[in-house]
């Protein structure tokens, strides 16, 4: 399983402050699933500059708080490139248009198809609908915070 965490309101309160939220609950959930490494999938990370800021400012506190290795933090630009490769749609570097049209779920679906073809991917996020499908699961943070809540899949 390839597990991705959104940042804002999922494991930090906001990009600007970077204060941890839900960390104990998410850590307990990751331990129950025996997850050792996660990746970030967040629209807060727009470009290479934001990626560098993540590694400099947020990586170590998240790693310590969640007890897992954070192995990658792709940017919206990376999501856009993956989407273009999967769908053929060219976005002309307009990140705002890409986010508005593709949204988190479709961006995640394209990312997983390109980078984890056929492997199961899970995204934990605060604002997406809970979705389940054969290869992609999107779980609302509420399903983690309230473990008896259902988790749904896309495809």
């Amino acid at each position: 399983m390839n597990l991705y965490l959104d940042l804002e309101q999922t494991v930090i309160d906001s990009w600007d402050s970077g204060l941890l939220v839900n960390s104990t609950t998410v850590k307990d959930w990751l331990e129950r699933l025996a997850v050792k490494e996660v990746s970030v999938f967040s629209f807060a990370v727009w470009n290479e500059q934001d990626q560098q800021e993540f590694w400099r400012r947020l990586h170590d506190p998240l790693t310590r708080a969640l007890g897992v290795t954070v192995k990658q933090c792709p940017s919206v630009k990376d999501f856009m490139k993956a989407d273009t490769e999967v769908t053929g749609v060219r976005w002309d570097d307009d990140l705002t248009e890409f986010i508005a049209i593709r949204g988190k779920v479709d961006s995640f679906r394209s990312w997983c198809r390109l980078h984890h073809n056929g492997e199961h991917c899970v995204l934990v996020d605060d604002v997406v609908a809970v979705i389940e499908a054969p290869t992609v699961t999107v779980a609302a943070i509420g399903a983690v915070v309230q473990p008896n809540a259902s988790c749904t899949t896309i495809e």
Side-chain angles (χ1 to χ4, degrees):
M1 169 178 57
N2 301 287
L3 196 132
Y4 288 82
L5 297 174
D6 175 45
L7 291 174
E8 294 181 304
Q9 297 305 311
T10 301
V11 292
I12 63 171
D13 67 337
S14 71
W15 179 255
D16 292 330
S17 77
L19 294 174
L20 295 173
V21 296
N22 302 317
S23 58
T24 301
T25 305
V26 172
K27 179 181 181 183
D28 291 346
W29 183 75
L30 293 170
E31 286 175 357
R32 281 196 309 277
L33 294 175
V35 172
K36 301 291 183 213
E37 60 183 25
V38 299
S39 297
V40 169
F41 194 92
S42 176
F43 282 171
V45 182
W46 278 55
N47 51 35
E48 194 172 305
Q49 180 180 345
D50 289 345
Q51 286 173 308
Q52 291 169 358
E53 183 172 350
F54 170 82
W55 292 108
R56 182 183 51 76
R57 187 172 62 95
L58 299 173
H59 174 265
D60 291 347
L62 270 178
T63 298
R64 282 191 304 274
L66 301 178
V68 294
T69 301
V70 179
K71 65 179 185 175
Q72 66 175 325
C73 179
S75 69
V76 176
K77 284 190 117 175
D78 297 325
F79 306 153
M80 195 165 51
K81 289 175 191 170
D83 186 80
T84 296
E85 196 161 327
V86 169
T87 67
V89 175
R90 295 196 169 280
W91 295 99
D92 300 322
D93 283 337
D94 190 336
L95 303 181
T96 305
E97 179 182 35
F98 173 76
I99 290 170
I101 292 172
R102 274 298 185 249
K104 185 69 74 77
V105 172
D106 286 339
S107 300
F108 187 63
R109 181 184 292 134
S110 290
W111 181 263
C112 292
R113 283 189 180 146
L114 183 64
H115 295 284
H116 305 291
N117 190 21
E119 298 175 15
H120 194 83
C121 295
V122 175
L123 170 63
V124 178
D125 194 296
D126 63 306
V127 294
V128 297
V130 178
I131 302 168
E132 276 192 67
T135 59
V136 178
T137 300
V138 178
I141 187 66
V144 174
V145 174
Q146 301 168 1
N148 295 332
S150 64
C151 184
T152 322
T153 308
I154 47 186
E155 269 321 281

